[in-house]
Amino acid sequence: MTKTVVLLDYGAGNIRSVQRALERVGAEVTVTADPYWALEADGLLVPGVGAFDACMKGLKAVNGPRVIGQRLAGERPVMGICVGMQVLFDAGVEHGIHSAGCGEWPGTVERLHSAVLPHMGWNTIEMPNDSAMFTGLNSDERFYFVHSYGVRRWELETSITRPPLVSWCAHAGDSFVAAVENGALWATQFHPEKSGDAGAQLLENWMHTL
């Protein structure tokens, strides 16, 4: 049975490349900002390119935080990509602007302390054990990044039952959260839709959770 995915259209870019990538792994994709369809679909994917504050304004304009929260309350899959991952955290600080995020995870998105920015191109990540997100992928797989901001500290208590699986990436003297797998909520700082076969495998793994 074909799985339905809503690609949330809130003015945050990279819509078409993500749509094509999802369709290649068998999803029936609808690009919309309509909350009804975003709640009804088997999966919701939140893309994001640009500044944290602008993405949050766009997301709020289409009731995105409420839709994300409602889906997760019912343990229904949501995935965020790039800034679509960043907005899931408590806050972002960019160009001196402090903006509230969706608050699904504690933590602040900030400028990386790397010698070379932006972090643009292919990089490996530290994959956690027993990860559904990275099933079928090797530890030397490379994923495509393009960003200057990220989450440099994971602040959620590790003593909780079933803590999220967190992947890390190192770049030019700093490290940051590259991906989070937290029950029905998955997110990646990298772009799976631009990451070749490895990215396609990750999206296919997500489809298996829908």
Side-chain angles (χ1 to χ4, degrees):
M1 182 177 176
T2 301
K3 297 295 185 178
T4 60
V5 174
V6 158
L7 185 52
L8 194 62
D9 186 7
Y10 66 101
N14 75 318
I15 291 285
R16 298 307 168 194
S17 59
V18 178
Q19 180 180 1
R20 289 192 295 269
L22 286 168
E23 289 173 344
R24 282 196 293 269
V25 296
E28 180 182 318
V29 182
T30 301
V31 179
T32 183
D34 189 321
Y36 174 81
W37 294 111
L39 288 169
E40 287 295 307
D42 294 316
L44 174 67
L45 196 143
V46 183
V49 170
F52 186 103
D53 186 67
C55 284
M56 275 307 301
K57 286 176 179 174
L59 201 58
K60 289 177 180 177
V62 299
N63 292 314
R66 179 181 62 82
V67 170
I68 292 168
Q70 284 187 264
R71 286 189 62 92
L72 294 176
E75 299 186 350
R76 307 198 64 210
V78 176
M79 182 172 179
I81 291 176
C82 196
V83 184
M85 166 180 156
Q86 294 178 1
V87 295
L88 296 170
F89 286 85
D90 276 341
V93 180
E94 193 165 346
H95 305 301
I97 300 172
H98 188 287
S99 307
C102 294
E104 296 297 336
W105 297 309
T108 300
V109 178
E110 60 183 318
R111 188 172 177 85
L112 300 180
H113 293 187
S114 298
V116 179
L117 291 176
H119 173 213
M120 183 167 63
W122 300 81
N123 206 342
T124 57
I125 65 173
E126 296 178 13
M127 299 179 186
N129 296 324
D130 302 320
S131 167
M133 181 184 289
F134 295 108
T135 295
L137 294 170
N138 299 317
S139 60
D140 60 353
E141 299 281 5
R142 292 182 175 270
F143 299 89
Y144 188 81
F145 292 84
V146 53
H147 64 117
S148 296
Y149 292 77
V151 175
R152 301 177 55 247
R153 291 176 294 277
W154 180 253
E155 300 179 17
L156 191 64
E157 292 290 338
T158 57
S159 60
I160 63 173
T161 305
R162 296 179 62 193
L165 299 178
V166 182
S167 304
W168 292 86
C169 182
H171 169 67
D174 202 3
S175 61
F176 57 89
V177 174
V180 183
E181 183 181 337
N182 184 194
L185 183 57
W186 287 20
T188 65
Q189 178 62 66
F190 55 83
H191 288 270
E193 78 281 7
K194 297 179 180 179
S195 296
D197 291 343
Q201 180 65 61
L202 187 150
L203 290 175
E204 188 172 334
N205 290 342
W206 185 60
M207 292 291 295
H208 289 159
T209 72
L210 306 187

